[in-house]
Amino acid sequence: MTDGKDEAQVVILDNLSSMVATNFLTQYSVMEVTKCLVQQLAGEHEGDLTMTHIIIQEANIIRSFKNKIEPSTTAKPSATVEPPATAEPGVELHFTPPPVCLISDLMTMGQSDKAIRACAMKKTKIKSWTKGGSKGRLFNVVLLDSSGIVCGTVYTELADQLHLRFVVGKEYFVCRPVVHKPNKYTSTVNRGFAIGFGADTAVIPCPEQSSVLLGNFDFTSLASLRSLAYGNVVDVLCVVSRSLGIAMSSMPKLKHLSVRRNLMVVDDSGFQVHVTLWGDDATTFGAPVGSVVAFKGICVSSYGEWSLSLPDLGLIFVNPNTPQAVALRAWYDSYGLQGTFQSYGSSVDSTKDSSVQLMTIAQINSDVIAAKSTGKRFYLSATIASISLKDFDKPLHSSTNCSKHTRPEPEYYYNFSLQASDGKDTIRIQCTDPVGNELFRAMANEMAKLQSADKAAFDRRIDRAVSKKCTFLCKACTVDFSGGLTFILAINASLDA
């Protein structure tokens, strides 16, 4: 290798050998060395010259030439080198990317020698896995081009190497990806297929970066969520109408706590929906109220009836430069700021879902509680006889004892019980946020402040909900997982007119 003045013998590490295998690095290439290690090696005998070895750890190819560059035309390695308008005689530019196909074509092509050119939109942290006595490490990367999106999984010895190689927001050639069926985790990105990274797969940064194309969204309106089953994965374009803060959630299956951020979003279909972000998405999301947000690969959730929850591999685009986003912004500025919106939590009735039965309290006692029908959903139309609301739930992490999670003010959640009567029998129902929001027409934060500042006004707010008729969407739950006492949890509610 030469810089135009001096020459040196260099060593290229294995993680760069793919550049040679795919002819990205050839004789007479101009290379920018971004990370290297210099070693001084003494000779074997006294008087021998000290030798300098340069070990190249990370590098980018700026340009490649067909013939040797004369000293007068030597180009210094720089990320800003621009190719000449016309090549000089005998100096022909021959940097050619591999044959490129679109992500959408991978399924029909299967394994091939072609490559995709895609932008790394998201990568997960490296995780450890164990299965059948084997163990290893892996991470996922979400790749996007103008035709679609795909999730890639990188295992074991390649995980550390490629996790450093992939930079979110940068474009790459992925040569010879291994196409396979998605698993439950990666199918939230693409239900058709996913890709793996084998020994022959090469990942090479694109010499020139282009803008990310966002034309492959298939947006679902918030009003249309009602027709979808829980677990469906959709794209949604919406406006953030309210930010409900950050809290910690217990994840029993994973045996750890997870950060979550709760949002309320609206769109021009006239609906508002609750959105939950998790983990890094929750902590890094900084879009203010009024921002247009596109969610790609967001799941329809059963929390509080129809809501949305962004999985690990879902994508967020804030104020995307698309015609749909511009139109939604214009609608929100002219109407949305002052408009009123329907909520799935305020339209509970027995005809919404024909598979859910409207039951009497006598039927609930015999067919649900006595039979321990855990998980069964049903509707109950009853009058509220009394409400027991004394305290509010706080997040599992408090800003007073955790320096990593701070908030400008505490965030509270409803967790209360009420007695309901259908004219013949009474039943105790446990209630959480969606029901409290509907009955008291206020978030738990507001009610907690009112309880502290004006107890009489707080009691009057509760009294106004008593004696009102309400339709509850309920679910049978157990105290523990060993088949303990069954209780009724109200998922949502609607006060009758």
Side-chain angles (χ1 to χ4, degrees):
M1 176 179 284
T2 177
D3 63 359
K5 293 183 179 180
D6 302 297
E7 293 186 358
Q9 186 172 3
V10 301
V11 176
I12 297 177
L13 295 184
D14 288 344
N15 63 323
L16 298 178
S17 61
S18 58
M19 290 188 177
V20 178
T22 54
N23 291 323
F24 271 69
L25 177 59
T26 61
Q27 189 179 20
Y28 309 131
S29 295
V30 178
M31 172 187 289
E32 176 192 24
V33 179
T34 57
K35 186 178 181 181
C36 66
L37 180 65
V38 179
Q39 292 183 338
Q40 301 288 342
L41 302 179
E44 296 182 2
H45 306 288
E46 186 177 352
D48 287 351
L49 295 176
T50 300
M51 298 183 64
T52 300
H53 276 202
I54 301 175
I55 302 174
I56 299 178
Q57 297 169 301
E58 295 181 10
N60 296 319
I61 306 303
I62 304 301
R63 291 173 60 191
S64 292
F65 295 90
K66 185 176 181 180
N67 300 309
K68 182 177 179 180
I69 306 172
E70 298 301 325
S72 59
T73 61
T74 299
K76 294 184 179 181
S78 169
T80 59
V81 172
E82 295 290 337
T86 57
E88 297 181 18
V91 183
E92 179 182 350
L93 206 72
H94 81 283
F95 177 83
T96 305
V100 173
C101 69
L102 296 173
I103 287 176
S104 59
D105 296 331
L106 284 178
M107 189 62 179
T108 56
M109 292 174 52
Q111 180 70 12
S112 72
D113 289 332
K114 290 192 176 181
I116 58 171
R117 175 173 179 162
C119 183
M121 301 304 301
K122 194 173 193 177
K123 66 177 179 180
T124 64
K125 295 177 181 178
I126 296 180
K127 306 172 185 177
S128 298
W129 61 269
T130 57
K131 185 177 182 181
S134 301
K135 61 181 181 179
R137 291 154 63 79
L138 65 85
F139 78 92
N140 295 97
V141 59
V142 180
L143 301 170
L144 175 75
D145 70 6
S146 60
S147 73
I149 189 169
V150 71
C151 179
T153 305
V154 186
Y155 287 97
T156 18
E157 65 273 2
L158 292 175
D160 292 317
Q161 170 190 325
L162 291 183
H163 197 268
L164 293 173
R165 175 74 60 84
F166 279 115
V167 177
V168 173
K170 299 292 185 180
E171 276 190 303
Y172 297 87
F173 290 111
V174 179
C175 307
R176 297 183 296 279
V178 181
V179 181
H180 59 82
K181 291 182 179 180
N183 56 30
K184 183 177 179 181
Y185 184 66
T186 58
S187 64
T188 60
V189 176
N190 187 322
R191 290 189 179 275
F193 61 92
I195 62 172
F197 294 76
D200 295 331
T201 305
V203 177
I204 300 160
C206 294
E208 297 179 359
Q209 301 288 316
S210 61
S211 59
V212 178
L213 299 176
L214 303 180
N216 57 337
F217 282 93
D218 184 14
F219 291 122
T220 298
S221 70
L222 299 182
S224 301
L225 297 181
R226 179 183 306 215
S227 63
L228 302 177
Y230 300 141
N232 273 19
V233 179
V234 296
D235 300 340
V236 170
L237 184 67
C238 54
V239 179
V240 178
S241 62
R242 218 171 0 163
S243 178
L244 307 179
I246 290 181
M248 300 294 294
S249 287
S250 175
M251 309 292 284
K253 291 183 179 180
L254 302 179
K255 298 181 180 180
H256 67 74
L257 300 178
S258 179
V259 184
R260 78 169 187 270
R261 181 185 293 272
N262 300 313
L263 307 170
M264 288 298 293
V265 300
V266 300
D267 71 359
D268 52 7
S269 68
F271 268 76
Q272 64 177 0
V273 168
H274 183 278
V275 173
T276 304
L277 309 180
W278 301 92
D280 290 341
D281 290 321
T283 55
T284 59
F285 185 84
V289 171
S291 299
V292 176
V293 178
F295 294 105
K296 185 162 190 65
I298 194 166
C299 285
V300 180
S301 169
S302 60
Y303 172 73
E305 276 300 276
W306 283 272
S307 59
L308 295 168
S309 179
L310 191 72
D312 237 7
L313 301 176
L315 302 180
I316 305 173
F317 299 89
V318 178
N319 295 320
N321 186 22
T322 65
Q324 300 102 311
V326 172
L328 186 63
R329 161 61 61 193
W331 164 84
Y332 185 75
D333 290 342
S334 60
Y335 172 78
L337 282 170
Q338 295 80 29
T340 57
F341 298 90
Q342 286 183 271
S343 171
Y344 287 115
S346 62
S347 58
V348 175
D349 58 63
S350 59
T351 62
K352 182 194 291 187
D353 188 343
S354 59
S355 65
V356 179
Q357 181 184 358
L358 177 64
M359 303 183 73
T360 65
I361 294 177
Q363 289 173 320
I364 295 170
N365 286 326
S366 62
D367 299 344
V368 179
I369 296 179
K372 293 186 178 180
S373 300
T374 303
K376 181 177 177 62
R377 290 171 177 252
F378 54 88
Y379 290 112
L380 169 64
S381 181
T383 300
I384 300 173
S386 65
I387 296 175
S388 177
L389 174 57
K390 297 179 180 179
D391 298 308
F392 295 85
D393 276 358
K394 293 182 179 180
L396 296 178
H397 265 47
S398 170
S399 59
T400 59
N401 57 23
C402 178
S403 59
K404 293 183 178 179
H405 303 100
T406 60
R407 293 178 297 279
E409 60 180 351
E411 185 181 10
Y412 296 92
Y413 300 93
Y414 286 114
N415 186 3
F416 64 97
S417 64
L418 60 82
Q419 291 286 334
S421 171
D422 62 0
K424 293 183 179 181
D425 302 286
T426 61
I427 191 170
R428 181 177 176 271
I429 301 175
Q430 195 66 27
C431 306
T432 55
D433 264 6
V435 179
N437 294 341
E438 173 68 9
L439 297 186
F440 309 124
R441 303 297 186 181
M443 306 294 290
N445 252 12
E446 181 182 340
M447 287 291 284
K449 289 180 181 178
L450 186 62
Q451 183 187 40
S452 176
D454 190 343
K455 184 63 165 58
F458 173 80
D459 291 337
R460 288 194 298 272
R461 184 76 68 93
I462 294 177
D463 290 341
R464 282 201 294 267
V466 176
S467 300
K468 290 192 175 181
K469 191 172 182 181
C470 189
T471 301
F472 298 94
L473 174 64
C474 301
K475 179 180 180 181
C477 302
T478 54
V479 174
D480 56 52
F481 294 104
S482 60
L485 179 66
T486 302
F487 69 94
I488 303 304
L489 173 68
I491 300 173
N492 230 318
S494 175
L495 288 170
D496 295 353

